[in-house]
Amino acid sequence: MSRTALHSMPSPSSNQPVVVVGGGLSGLAAAVELSSLGIPVLLLEQKPRLGGRAYSFRDETTGEAIDNGQHVLIAGYERTMRFLDRIGTRHLLTVQSQPLLYLHHPVRGLCEFRLPPLVPPIHFLAGILSTNLLTVPDKMRLLRAGVSLQRAPAEHDGRTIAQWLDGQGQSEELKRSFWEPLAISIMNEHIADAAAKVFVHVLRHAFLAGGKNAALALSRVGLSELYVDAASSFIVRHGGRVHVNARVVGLERRQQRASGVVLRDGQPVSCSAVVVAVPHHAIADILPEDEALRRFSLLASTPIVSIHLWFPHEVMKHEFVGLIGRRVQWVFNKRKIARKEHPSGHVSCVISDAGEFVDLSNERLIRLAVEDLRTLHARVPEPTHAVVIREKRATFACTPDADRLRPSHRTSWANVFLAGDWTNTGLPATIEGAILSGERSAYLVAEFLRAG
């Protein structure tokens, strides 16, 4: 990654590059796709590192690489798997042989929801009937909701997940024990606020499209090693350029096209097209004249808090466990996921939709994480070290109203396109959505360039 000032480089006068503004996953995906098509790329990232909200950093105390937040994939994320294949890092994932969730119920204890190796939707029905998480009446209610998944997602437009579940006769206990853990991990929103249309779309793909689509895939390495470093290297190997500390503040217009981007120091950089891959709250800074984008940029964001805890010894035997009815929703055993033998224990406790927690002190967050861990294993000792990570703008708030306002990848400028998990991908703000949006914008760029 070059940190050289861009104005020290001549702007290309021929074969002008496509400028990708933003080095998060959507920007990296767009640049990788364009590079694979033989289209010259210049990727500009305002921060001193790439990765956006999916990166790793070195903890000074332990020397370990830790992620800014836990990101979980499912095997059915085809675009993400294809992206990892292309940059050469898919082998760093561990994928479950069959879909399996461990959920800790405050009364029933540790429960399983496992999908057997049967054809869809039979495997989903069998998983419901065999789980020890639910009572028999709730299993029947869940089967009813499972049948509803086969209906077109458009039927759920404008409704929250809670409204959809009420329409399916789901009990309060079933909402709390099954639907809420799924929704909070997929949507980063509680069921009372999250868009049912988007949630149902994901569930249809996970549970009905393929027998192993719902299997979880966990990275054995840090997010930067899995996604960022290899993607940057791919772009450079294919003739592209990647620059950090390069903030774009606007576009140069020639009629209805962008002729270049303008950097913070006023330096223009010529381009053949632009992919704007910045977070939703920053889009109006690049395209201030677009009123619809300005309104979308004002929509709320939803935070995620991650509390990394180190212990003198291992404190849990599973790779991950969902905690029902606690403040921490998921606990990830970093040692087991990385498959590393180590005398100490290291877990990551995740609080999604963390609006009421994000401003608490580190000490309070560490304490509540330890308290919740002790409901899982009573003998959890005091941590020897802790790191708290707050991602205050982790995702856009995917409510029904926000989902209706999500913009397409095209703009009013003929050669300017949008990428980001907040664009109209039909998916929530996930890694799959980010990569899908980046690739879609790259295809639109290629189409524009072919048309001349």
Side-chain angles (χ1 to χ4, degrees):
M1 255 184 301
S2 172
R3 297 170 187 263
T4 306
L6 287 177
H7 58 260
S8 68
M9 305 184 306
S11 296
S13 57
S14 61
N15 198 27
Q16 293 173 345
V18 175
V19 173
V20 177
V21 182
L25 288 186
S26 56
L28 289 170
V32 164
E33 190 65 30
L34 289 166
S35 298
S36 71
L37 296 172
I39 297 172
V41 171
L42 172 60
L43 188 150
L44 304 176
E45 167 56 48
Q46 68 170 345
K47 294 180 180 178
R49 52 156 182 81
L50 301 174
R53 290 157 287 155
Y55 67 93
S56 307
F57 62 93
R58 188 71 56 183
D59 175 51
E60 294 182 359
T61 299
T62 65
E64 297 182 39
I66 59 176
D67 300 329
N68 73 314
Q70 185 68 45
H71 293 262
V72 179
L73 305 175
I74 62 171
Y77 280 175
E78 291 99 342
R79 296 296 185 121
T80 303
M81 297 304 175
R82 176 177 172 268
F83 175 79
L84 295 177
D85 278 334
R86 175 165 281 167
I87 65 175
T89 59
R90 186 170 178 174
H91 66 284
L92 299 175
L93 289 178
T94 298
V95 183
Q96 292 177 325
S97 58
Q98 64 184 102
L100 171 62
L101 288 178
Y102 287 107
L103 296 166
H104 189 269
H105 192 279
V107 175
R108 298 186 184 94
L110 191 67
C111 302
E112 292 184 7
F113 183 79
R114 182 190 303 267
L115 300 186
L118 301 171
V119 296
I122 303 301
H123 72 321
F124 184 55
L125 302 179
I128 292 172
L129 294 174
S130 63
T131 183
N132 60 341
L133 175 65
L134 306 173
T135 64
V136 172
D138 273 345
K139 289 180 181 181
M140 296 302 103
R141 295 183 181 100
L142 186 53
L143 286 172
R144 176 181 173 181
V147 172
S148 172
L149 291 180
Q150 300 183 66
R151 300 173 191 155
E155 294 184 16
H156 312 294
D157 197 13
R159 304 173 73 188
T160 66
I161 297 174
Q163 289 169 336
W164 169 60
L165 296 176
D166 287 341
Q168 299 305 312
Q170 306 295 281
S171 70
E172 292 303 314
E173 173 60 21
L174 185 50
K175 292 178 193 175
R176 182 179 76 129
S177 297
F178 183 80
W179 291 114
E180 183 70 27
L182 275 185
I184 202 73
S185 58
I186 292 171
M187 304 288 292
N188 191 29
E189 294 284 342
H190 290 289
I191 60 174
D193 302 312
K197 179 182 175 181
V198 178
F199 183 60
V200 169
H201 176 71
V202 174
L203 295 184
R204 281 166 57 89
H205 185 70
F207 293 124
L208 302 181
K212 292 186 178 181
N213 271 18
L216 296 188
L218 298 170
S219 177
R220 300 192 303 274
V221 299
L223 294 175
S224 292
E225 185 176 349
L226 181 67
Y227 295 109
V228 179
D229 301 338
S232 178
S233 296
F234 182 96
I235 296 163
V236 172
R237 285 200 312 272
H238 287 76
R241 293 174 291 165
V242 178
H243 290 267
V244 297
N245 295 314
R247 182 180 179 184
V248 172
V249 296
L251 306 181
E252 286 195 321
R253 181 193 290 267
R254 184 174 298 165
Q255 297 179 339
Q256 282 302 110
R257 298 188 179 189
S259 58
V261 301
V262 181
L263 301 181
R264 176 169 39 196
D265 61 1
Q267 174 71 20
V269 178
S270 300
C271 66
S272 59
V274 181
V275 174
V276 182
V278 299
H280 84 278
H281 52 81
I283 187 64
D285 296 337
I286 308 296
L287 294 166
E289 73 284 353
D290 191 314
E291 181 60 26
L293 289 181
R294 190 190 69 79
R295 288 198 305 271
F296 194 85
S297 72
L298 298 176
L299 292 178
S301 298
T302 307
I304 295 177
V305 172
S306 300
I307 305 119
H308 286 263
L309 301 173
W310 283 261
F311 296 98
H313 54 76
E314 193 63 89
V315 296
M316 58 184 287
K317 65 179 182 179
H318 299 98
E319 289 185 337
F320 61 93
V321 176
L323 303 184
I324 296 170
R326 263 66 56 99
R327 297 155 296 188
V328 168
Q329 295 122 354
W330 291 92
V331 183
F332 295 87
N333 187 329
K334 306 299 285 188
R335 297 279 184 249
K336 288 192 176 294
I337 292 172
R339 296 186 174 180
K340 291 182 178 179
E341 293 294 331
H342 200 283
S344 69
H346 175 198
V347 302
S348 174
C349 301
V350 179
I351 306 176
S352 298
D353 196 359
E356 63 178 296
F357 300 100
V358 70
D359 292 324
L360 296 181
S361 67
N362 286 359
E363 292 74 17
R364 181 72 186 106
L365 288 168
I366 293 166
R367 178 49 44 198
L368 71 82
V370 172
E371 290 170 358
D372 282 359
L373 272 177
R374 285 174 178 161
T375 67
L376 180 64
H377 298 291
R379 296 182 179 179
V380 169
E382 288 297 305
T384 59
H385 178 54
V387 174
V388 175
I389 301 168
R390 297 170 178 82
E391 196 70 49
K392 291 193 173 183
R393 289 173 163 175
T395 64
F396 78 99
C398 193
T399 64
D401 288 341
D403 186 51
R404 281 194 292 266
L405 293 174
R406 295 171 76 175
S408 73
H409 303 289
R410 297 182 184 275
T411 72
S412 59
W413 300 49
N415 64 338
V416 178
F417 307 93
L418 303 178
D421 57 16
W422 49 272
T423 57
N424 191 15
T425 63
L427 297 171
T430 57
I431 286 174
E432 179 78 352
I435 291 175
L436 172 61
S437 74
E439 292 183 352
R440 282 183 177 175
S441 67
Y443 301 150
L444 292 172
V445 168
E447 181 182 86
F448 168 80
L449 295 177
R450 282 196 302 269

